[in-house]
Amino acid sequence: MPMTNDLANKIANASLRNQSYTSPANVYGALYSVAPTVSTNGTEITGNGYARQLATFNTPSAGNVSSNVALTWSCTGNNWPSVVAFAIVDDVTGDNIMYFKEVASRNIKVGDSVTIDSGNVTIDMNS
């Protein structure tokens, strides 16, 4: 998953310029109807049962890390717009995207769920 410029700058400042970086206490999975990029936030799904999902990760190895929990969102009330991207964000609300990935567009109707299985969110810090 690509890293945003914001996170890359924070890591570079911390590792190369001795500037403090405080890791978030928790990170969350989020779904988007307009994909984020390295420099833009995209458009996150809202309403109709949508909420960011707490994401946790295994210990990194060789610069790679994968999720260790399934993330599930369920649509209630009205249909969601098409989901086209997924991101890891640093707060339950707000726009601080850390990593993102475009996915095959999927229409989500009332009663549908979206699940990303444990281990299927992977981040390669070497790319």
Side-chain angles (χ1 to χ4, degrees):
M1 293 177 70
M3 180 186 312
T4 62
N5 288 341
D6 180 61
L7 180 59
N9 291 339
K10 289 175 183 175
I11 291 171
N13 279 327
S15 63
L16 302 172
R17 300 182 66 226
N18 196 31
Q19 293 184 1
S20 295
Y21 171 67
T22 303
S23 298
N26 294 301
V27 295
Y28 300 85
L31 301 176
Y32 290 79
S33 60
V34 174
T37 68
V38 295
S39 60
T40 64
N41 287 330
T43 303
E44 188 172 357
I45 302 294
T46 60
N48 299 305
Y50 175 81
R52 291 179 178 178
Q53 299 299 303
L54 181 65
T56 57
F57 289 84
N58 294 303
T59 301
S61 175
N64 294 294
V65 63
S66 62
S67 59
N68 62 11
V69 64
L71 304 173
T72 299
W73 297 264
S74 297
C75 179
T76 62
N78 289 304
N79 298 339
W80 292 345
S82 294
V83 172
V84 300
F86 165 78
I88 298 295
V89 298
D90 70 359
D91 199 332
V92 73
T93 61
D95 290 327
N96 292 328
I97 298 169
M98 302 172 74
Y99 303 94
F100 65 94
K101 180 179 182 176
E102 290 190 44
V103 298
S105 180
R106 181 173 168 198
N107 294 321
I108 309 299
K109 299 183 187 298
V110 174
D112 288 350
S113 292
V114 176
T115 297
I116 301 174
D117 291 329
S118 178
N120 284 352
V121 176
T122 58
I123 297 168
D124 180 356
M125 297 298 292
N126 297 309
S127 60

